[in-house]
Amino acid sequence: MKLDRMLFGKLVSSLQEFGSFSQRALGKPDTAIKKKEFNLNEHLRFFHAFDRYFYSVADISSLKVVDAGGPIEQCVGYTREEVIRKGYRLMLKVHHLQDAIRSARGGSRYFKYLYDQPPANRPYIKVNRTLDLFRKDGRKIHVLTQSIPILFNDFMEPIYMLNIFSDITDLSVEKKYSHYIIDNSDELKPKRIELFKRDELPNYFLTSAISPAEKRVIALIADGKTSEEIANELFLSVHTVNTHRKNMLDKLNCENTAQLIKKAVISGWI
């Protein structure tokens, strides 16, 4: 997959922010002890998924995948060993680039919420996503990803996250990206907390319809440059720049440039 340089930069900054929140347990004296004493099988029997699914266990203190299981190869075409070895790098192969950025941003928002809660509540707070996933053979499925903290250090900072990937292609009518927290710390009053507002999540069709050339133009518009300046920088005619601008307004149903820039920022293009 050829990566747009601007989007790749946004992915890197989003992952850096995610890492700053997720890796709080890194280097803490008890983290290594907790890992050594951890028994995954004791935890797996408490969690259930529906339809076809597989799982991975991420050590978020080091941002590595340490275990995986279930019918992985049947679901996505990758072997268990590939999932563990490639780890977080596999995101760029199996997700839309915009979804990888949104996943990192949503993950940061999840951890901000988690650390605002009393330590005793944190084991009961998980984060879910629904999104497209590309198999190794290029075919696309729609999945529900449930991320559940299952190991904490003495400061109740997560070390391991259990990620359950369920294939909901045949169950989901509206296949779109969503990202939300399920807070079950009060079992009588469970809460669902959306991590993105509706207008922060353009449809896949719309985001995929924006070309790399159009993304470069909107990035320069956001920098405050005029059509003439953009044309000179990109070696285009002013007419072409204005055409790109008009096409993006139409594709994303925006009434003005301000709305267009907002959607571009939210989508991770700039």
Side-chain angles (χ1 to χ4, degrees):
M1 180 187 298
K2 186 178 180 181
L3 295 180
D4 183 285
R5 182 177 299 178
M6 179 175 59
L7 277 178
F8 185 72
K10 184 61 66 176
L11 174 64
V12 170
S13 64
S14 298
L15 288 174
Q16 287 174 338
E17 181 187 33
F18 172 76
S20 70
F21 286 108
S22 67
Q23 294 184 278
R24 287 194 180 184
L26 182 64
K28 299 290 175 63
D30 64 314
T31 296
I33 297 173
K34 298 287 185 182
K35 290 181 185 178
K36 187 175 181 180
E37 295 174 346
F38 180 71
N39 186 330
L40 175 62
N41 290 326
E42 288 184 2
H43 289 266
L44 287 178
R45 63 195 181 103
F46 293 111
F47 302 105
H48 303 275
F50 52 87
D51 218 286
R52 291 194 308 160
Y53 78 98
F54 67 96
Y55 72 86
S56 69
V57 177
D59 178 353
I60 60 171
S61 69
S62 60
L63 294 182
K64 294 181 180 179
V65 174
V66 295
D67 201 359
I72 300 174
E73 197 161 2
Q74 181 188 32
C75 289
V76 293
Y78 292 96
T79 65
R80 173 180 179 272
E81 290 71 26
E82 285 178 303
V83 170
I84 294 174
R85 185 179 73 253
K86 294 177 182 291
Y88 280 82
R89 291 181 291 118
L90 197 58
M91 287 177 62
L92 298 180
K93 289 186 175 291
V94 301
H95 295 326
H96 291 283
L97 184 53
Q98 291 95 334
D99 284 352
I101 295 169
R102 286 193 282 256
S103 293
R105 287 180 170 178
S108 296
R109 295 179 186 185
Y110 161 73
F111 282 110
K112 288 178 183 178
Y113 176 87
L114 187 77
Y115 287 125
D116 282 341
Q117 308 309 308
N121 290 358
R122 294 175 188 172
Y124 308 102
I125 301 172
K126 69 172 182 174
V127 61
N128 289 355
R129 291 176 294 152
T130 58
L131 71 169
D132 283 347
L133 185 150
F134 293 97
R135 290 170 41 90
K136 193 174 185 179
D137 61 10
R139 288 190 291 139
K140 183 172 65 177
I141 61 176
H142 201 66
V143 299
L144 166 66
T145 303
Q146 304 174 76
S147 297
I148 308 159
I150 56 174
L151 180 65
F152 296 81
N153 64 10
D154 289 340
F155 299 94
M156 291 306 293
E157 298 164 335
I159 301 172
Y160 285 170
M161 297 287 290
L162 172 64
N163 301 298
I164 301 174
F165 303 85
S166 300
D167 182 354
I168 60 171
T169 305
D170 297 329
L171 303 177
S172 176
V173 176
E174 187 177 11
K175 296 176 175 61
K176 64 179 183 178
Y177 185 96
S178 67
H179 209 155
Y180 55 95
I181 291 169
I182 299 293
D183 184 343
N184 287 315
S185 55
D186 183 343
E187 61 181 349
L188 298 179
K189 296 180 180 179
K191 293 185 289 186
R192 172 172 169 146
I193 302 161
E194 299 291 341
L195 289 172
F196 293 96
K197 297 178 181 178
R198 183 176 296 275
D199 64 353
E200 289 185 275
L201 297 171
N203 293 330
Y204 286 130
F205 172 77
L206 294 176
T207 56
S208 62
I210 302 300
S211 71
E214 289 169 335
K215 290 173 185 175
R216 286 191 286 271
V217 168
I218 187 59
L220 294 173
I221 291 174
D223 284 341
K225 298 195 175 184
T226 66
S227 293
E228 291 78 8
E229 291 171 330
I230 295 171
N232 290 333
E233 184 164 335
L234 298 181
F235 301 102
L236 302 171
S237 69
V238 174
H239 174 73
T240 299
V241 172
N242 288 333
T243 298
H244 283 324
R245 185 196 299 257
K246 181 180 181 301
N247 288 342
M248 285 187 287
L249 288 170
D250 291 340
K251 289 177 182 179
L252 296 179
N253 297 316
C254 294
E255 295 181 0
N256 52 52
T257 302
Q259 290 182 3
L260 182 61
I261 292 173
K262 179 181 178 182
K263 282 196 175 182
V265 171
I266 289 168
S267 299
W269 306 334
I270 59 179

